[in-house]
Amino acid sequence: MAKLTVEDLPLEGKKVLMRVDFNVPITDDGKVGDDNRIVAALPTIKYVIEHNGKAILFSHLGRIKKEEDKPSKSLKPVAERLSNLLNKPVIFVPVTEGKQLEDAINNMKDGEVLLVQNTRYEDVKNGEYVKRESGNDPELGKYWASLGDVYVNDAFGTAHRKHASNVGIATNMPGKAAAGFLMEKEIKFLGDAVDNPQRPFVAILGGAKVSDKIGVIDHLLDKADKIIIGGGMAYTFYAAKGIKTGDSLVEKDKIDVAKQILDKAGDKLVLPIDNVVADKFDNDANTKVVEGDIDDGWMALDIGPKTIAEFEDVLKDAKTVVWNGPMGVFEKPNFAKGTLAIGKFLGTLDNATTIVGGGDSTAAVKQLGVADQLTHISTGGGASLTYLEGKVLPGIAAISEK
Ligand code: AMP
């Protein structure tokens, strides 16, 4: 890849500003609920401190729209968890600008770690929702950039957003803004899959809505050899083909778009043959498997056994697979079979690069215990979708070229 990486930067004795993704769940008693994202950032942080850099970490946590949002969105619990994981102290600075922050940075010794308060504290000033971070206020990016010598962006999850802590800092440090290891990995896997795939390249798209994924389908139609459609979005395609959908999820205003996609796609698009239908949206609903038309009073909540076999047949020779969106309502055990079967099958494809594109599909493969068998699980839902749409991600674009 042509972007600068952390390995290209001078780190010894340098103040290394780092954008990480510590947007983790915080429990009601103020503890980190799930530290996956903190763990994922460790390789880059460790690399910086092992090379005697001063690691100055920036992250957002949740959204802040009013002063009262601030206390529950403090990064303090994250600093504590990070300190445990690194097995060394982490200096936590409870503010995002000013003398307290500047002094703390200037007092750092080589190899130390400092975490700045939630960057989105800047979104609310004196009770007003000013969005300095989320709106990429030019002064804020410039100020944060002035606090360090070099910049490392390891937060792929926010790369589709243009914020002061990613785009703002990077553009104020030309030639010195690099990708961290996590970011580098995401660019490599998603980038190669879409732009330079080993063929056959099969995309699997699922989830609730067609409307969220029209851009992805459009872009991948030119790139992929086959596109498998499952999940709720399949039934808008059913409607477009004149197949009865009963009470299944259908986006009526997207039926025309679905028709256009079907016309353009020819046999590239693979739709479910049969479905598990239920008489209510409930794990304990009465269910049956039906092929084709779905009667009123019944809704399709998972793909059926013939469809699983059909999808596996399409996937068996694939060399690259990108998966975004579950095949059914996987949160309810009785409708998780399709998603589980596809996840398990991908795990058996030894000669293929299998990539899961973040969001609900990541949750699904983790919940179903098949994550370990896949090549790459993206850390960013929105960011990976934007990537799959073929759009430029501002956070990546702002990283310096080699
Ligand atoms: P998305 O965020 O678009 O990837 O959608 C994920 C959501 O789609 C999950 O919460 C699934 O329960 C839901 N979903 C998948 N299949 C169906 C379906 N057949 N009917 C309704 N919802 C579904």
Side-chain angles (χ1 to χ4, degrees), residues 205-210 212-213 230-235 247-250 275-276 281 299-303 324-332 335 339 358-361 385:
L205 299 176
K209 291 182 174 172
V210 187
D212 293 341
K213 294 188 185 155
M233 64 189 274
Y235 310 108
D247 298 346
S248 307
L249 193 67
V250 171
N275 298 284
V276 178
F281 192 79
M299 60 183 82
L301 297 184
D302 197 6
I303 54 175
N324 194 296
M327 299 289 97
V329 183
F330 75 96
E331 301 94 332
K332 301 188 194 299
F335 307 106
T339 305
D360 262 322
S361 2
L385 269 186

Side-chain angles (χ1 to χ4, degrees), residues 47-61:
Y47 183 86
V48 168
I49 56 179
E50 278 162 12
H51 287 78
N52 287 323
K54 299 165 186 168
I56 302 154
L57 310 177
F58 292 83
S59 175
H60 77 282
L61 174 71

Side-chain angles (χ1 to χ4, degrees), residues 5 63 70 107 203 239-240 279 285 340 357:
T5 81
R63 292 218 166 112
K70 288 185 177 176
N107 288 330
D279 60 356
L340 180 61

Side-chain angles (χ1 to χ4, degrees), residues 199-227:
R199 293 188 184 276
F201 168 26
V202 181
I204 310 171
L205 299 176
K209 291 182 174 172
V210 187
S211 47
D212 293 341
K213 294 188 185 155
I214 289 169
V216 177
I217 302 176
D218 239 7
H219 185 63
L220 291 183
L221 270 182
D222 295 331
K223 306 263 180 186
D225 298 294
K226 291 276 182 197
I227 301 181

